[in-house]
Amino acid sequence: MNSKSIPFLSHDQYPREAVILENLTGSFMKEASILPLRAEDGILQVVMDDPSDTDTIEALQFAFSLKIEVFQGKREDIQEAIERLYGAGSQSIETIIEEAGRDIYEISVDADADTEHLRDMASEAPIIRLVNRLILNAVEMRASDIHFEPFEDQFRVRYRIDGVLHEAESPPRRLQAAVISRVKIMSKLDIAERRLPQDGRIKLKIADREIDFRVSTIPTLYGESLVMRILDRETLVLDLNQLGFPSEMLEAYARLISQPYGMILVTGPTGSGKTSTLYTTLARINSLESKIVTLEDPVEYQLKGINQIQVNPKIGLTFAGGLRSIVRQDPDIILVGEIRDRETAEIAVQSALTGHLLFSTLHTNDSAGAITRLLDMGVENFLLSSTLLGIMAQRLVRVNCPDCKRAVQPDEKLVRAMNLTDAEREEIVFYAGVGCEACRSTGFKGRTAIFEYLEVDEHIRRGIVTGATSDSIRQAAVEKGMTTLREDGWRKVREGRTTISEVLRVTLDN
């Protein structure tokens, strides 16, 4: 066969769905480096890296009694496609559900369902494959959470991707109890207990990397709702330069975290990236000369060379109690996952006052709000003014997809929110993703942080001592040149990294 007359196919021309031919195994395809493209009208089209391999072509003709039409492709592209379409994790959710329909009958979702029966159903091969497929899809899509939600007429599965929930292909409601039970078995939870919330963990190996999952269940009207938080260490960026800091703010923050003692706070709502910022900060200042101890609820990622403690209120290990013990461990740097109450706040301030560099988080809308929150908790003004070094507020915004980003003209109402001058309007070019396969038609791929850094100088310290309001502290910081969250967001809009509506979405409370 003359290879020059054989058309070449690139990997993007390969089929999206597997072409199923009886007795054509994945191992044979891999060994022969051959991929079926389509089989119709008496013709089987295949792509091979070696079209001169007449033995394989004759074997296919004999096995399927079809005329073989050959295309040429790269070996690595063919092998990747075989793994994707025919590998262990390739079976579609639809196919698995069909199998489950044959192998499994409806299970009652009420509290009286037989536990052993549930366990047996959750251990059936189709249910195991279905749950594995849902988890694998979520990891491949870079999801941070998987939500299993029972309703009266459906069992819904959603993935949180870049901070926004997207509906996934959901199993039928009759498989609800089996799917939930399977995840509970994996996370060592009590499948017989369906009336009380439970928390567990799973560690799975996916594509040669270990991924932790934090599992939470809660009873609802139509069964247990379950959420899996995906903690993939490979997605954790431990480089301050990559978090999204403006250069001048990064320099100021780098100076701040090199201080020998004092308290540094990171604020923002749940899911704003506070933990990532603090982990990256600790990785930056970690050294053989310093002992770093963290107290977290829970420990999300394991950091090399850092002593990490997980609080456990059930046995009395609280933030306040744990912090008292940490101070006796002769640490240089302490991370308290969150300041939630007066006792923890007071011990944290005392720790910072006695020669420790202490990091923690608070759930406040902006940096100035952290000061009034601590004062409201009962921390003494003069102690707070003596220990507080700086406050970083942050949010996460979705980044325009680089594959489909285009220049656009936003709605005039959105543009007015930026308060641009006429000259700035002439210069600025707005960008947005129009949607493509790479970003699943959302227009966004990945997230970056926007920041607001409040440095506690003498002027701010006087405001703390005199009990100034958060608005007056914020105004004083802005007059000194503080970049607000929204202003940093506008900077990233000008850079073409995100959109006006995305910045407004996460800063409506500022």
Side-chain angles (χ1 to χ4, degrees):
M1 190 176 289
N2 183 5
S3 62
K4 289 185 179 178
S5 63
I6 296 172
F8 178 84
L9 293 184
S10 60
H11 66 90
D12 56 359
Q13 295 173 285
Y14 294 177
R16 299 276 178 191
E17 299 291 334
V19 177
I20 305 299
L21 295 167
E22 193 174 349
N23 298 325
L24 183 60
T25 64
S27 57
F28 175 82
M29 286 187 267
K30 281 191 170 184
E31 188 176 336
S33 197
I34 183 169
L35 179 74
L37 300 172
R38 63 183 60 83
E40 55 190 21
D41 301 327
I43 298 173
L44 172 61
Q45 293 183 335
V46 297
V47 58
M48 308 173 64
D49 76 317
D50 181 14
S52 63
D53 182 0
T54 54
D55 289 343
T56 297
I57 295 169
E58 287 172 4
L60 290 172
Q61 285 175 326
F62 178 78
F64 302 109
S65 302
L66 296 170
K67 181 182 177 183
I68 308 300
E69 188 175 333
V70 178
F71 295 86
Q72 185 159 15
K74 286 185 180 178
R75 182 178 181 83
E76 55 267 32
D77 290 343
I78 294 170
Q79 294 290 337
E80 187 278 330
I82 293 169
E83 182 60 34
R84 172 170 56 84
L85 296 171
Y86 301 93
S90 63
Q91 200 171 12
S92 72
I93 288 176
E94 186 178 352
T95 306
I96 297 169
I97 290 171
E98 285 177 7
E99 286 185 17
R102 292 196 298 271
D103 296 354
I104 293 175
Y105 50 88
E106 187 167 353
I107 303 166
S108 170
V109 297
D110 64 32
D112 297 324
D114 181 70
T115 302
E116 285 307 312
H117 186 58
L118 265 181
R119 190 179 296 278
D120 290 343
M121 295 301 101
S123 301
E124 291 280 357
I127 289 297
I128 292 172
R129 284 201 297 274
L130 173 57
V131 171
N132 288 352
R133 186 72 243 175
L134 289 167
I135 292 171
L136 188 61
N137 285 353
V139 172
E140 288 175 347
M141 292 179 179
R142 302 174 295 104
S144 62
D145 302 84
I146 310 172
H147 291 244
F148 297 90
E149 302 168 310
F151 295 100
E152 183 179 12
D153 55 354
Q154 71 170 138
F155 177 46
R156 186 167 68 181
V157 177
R158 293 193 289 175
Y159 299 147
R160 188 176 294 281
I161 303 169
D162 294 334
V164 177
L165 283 168
H166 298 266
E167 193 154 359
E169 190 174 355
S170 300
R173 189 174 183 277
R174 62 188 171 78
L175 301 181
Q176 170 187 320
V179 169
I180 295 293
S181 295
R182 172 60 192 163
V183 180
K184 289 174 72 174
I185 288 169
M186 292 170 72
S187 48
K188 309 290 190 295
L189 298 180
D190 181 3
I191 66 168
E193 180 55 77
R194 294 183 291 281
R195 301 161 301 168
L196 293 172
Q198 294 185 68
D199 295 297
R201 289 188 85 117
I202 311 170
K203 186 186 284 284
L204 298 176
K205 191 164 187 178
I206 299 175
D208 295 326
R209 69 183 199 261
E210 287 187 350
I211 300 177
D212 283 317
F213 296 82
R214 210 167 72 216
V215 179
S216 169
T217 72
I218 194 164
T220 70
L221 194 60
Y222 298 106
E224 285 181 288
S225 174
L226 186 146
V227 176
M228 300 178 72
R229 165 65 57 89
I230 302 172
L231 303 171
D232 184 358
R233 199 179 188 285
E234 289 200 5
T235 63
L236 181 65
V237 178
L238 294 176
D239 183 353
L240 284 176
N241 296 301
Q242 295 182 36
L243 288 183
F245 280 107
S247 56
E248 70 279 4
M249 198 182 293
L250 178 58
E251 289 176 17
Y253 186 62
R255 286 195 304 272
L256 179 77
I257 62 179
S258 64
Q259 299 297 312
Y261 56 86
M263 184 161 68
I264 298 168
L265 298 174
V266 179
T267 76
T270 302
S272 59
K274 300 187 297 296
T275 300
S276 294
T277 297
L278 286 174
Y279 277 175
T280 307
T281 301
L282 293 183
R284 170 81 167 249
I285 60 180
N286 189 16
S287 69
L288 289 174
E289 292 78 36
S290 299
K291 175 159 183 167
I292 302 177
V293 184
T294 75
L295 189 63
E296 305 170 62
D297 182 21
V299 173
E300 293 197 6
Y301 300 97
Q302 295 172 22
L303 300 175
K304 191 174 181 180
I306 292 174
N307 300 274
Q308 294 173 271
I309 304 166
Q310 183 158 313
V311 301
N312 189 347
K314 291 178 183 176
I315 60 171
L317 180 55
T318 61
F319 275 120
L323 187 50
R324 280 198 188 92
S325 300
I326 285 176
V327 175
R328 294 194 287 271
Q329 287 279 306
D330 185 32
D332 299 287
I333 299 161
I334 301 170
L335 166 64
V336 182
E338 184 185 344
I339 295 176
R340 297 176 179 171
D341 52 49
R342 175 176 181 169
E343 189 179 9
T344 307
E346 288 179 341
I347 302 169
V349 168
Q350 287 293 341
S351 302
L353 201 60
T354 53
H356 303 96
L357 184 62
L358 185 136
F359 294 89
S360 192
T361 70
L362 277 174
H363 290 283
T364 60
N365 291 335
D366 60 11
S367 52
I371 294 172
T372 51
R373 176 68 56 83
L374 288 172
L375 294 175
D376 289 343
M377 283 183 182
V379 177
E380 295 287 351
N381 301 46
F382 69 93
L383 289 177
L384 186 59
S385 68
S386 302
T387 56
L388 193 58
L389 298 176
I391 307 164
M392 184 72 71
Q394 67 178 81
R395 300 287 191 280
L396 291 176
V397 294
R398 291 180 291 174
V399 174
N400 290 327
C401 174
D403 295 318
C404 64
K405 184 170 77 171
R406 303 285 186 276
V408 297
Q409 184 53 51
D411 187 282
E412 183 59 28
K413 289 180 182 177
L414 296 176
V415 177
R416 280 202 297 270
M418 290 184 69
N419 296 319
L420 298 170
T421 64
D422 291 339
E424 287 173 327
R425 276 179 177 247
E426 290 294 323
E427 290 179 9
I428 191 169
V429 178
F430 297 99
Y431 289 91
V434 295
C436 65
E437 188 177 327
C439 63
R440 301 173 306 282
S441 301
T442 62
F444 298 101
K445 191 174 182 182
R447 288 188 290 177
T448 190
I450 58 174
F451 295 99
E452 172 181 293
Y453 169 53
L454 189 156
E455 184 174 355
V456 180
D457 58 14
E458 285 306 314
H459 190 68
I460 301 296
R461 291 187 201 285
R462 283 197 295 272
I464 296 173
V465 171
T466 57
T469 65
S470 61
D471 286 341
S472 60
I473 291 172
R474 177 184 175 85
Q475 186 58 40
V478 169
E479 288 172 3
K480 289 266 189 174
M482 180 181 80
T483 300
T484 66
L485 280 166
R486 189 166 286 187
E487 286 168 352
D488 190 34
W490 296 152
R491 187 191 322 233
K492 288 175 171 65
V493 170
R494 289 187 179 92
E495 293 169 352
R497 300 180 67 187
T498 190
T499 64
I500 300 174
S501 55
E502 188 64 11
V503 173
L504 291 174
R505 179 178 70 86
V506 300
T507 62
L508 280 174
D509 51 6
N510 291 101

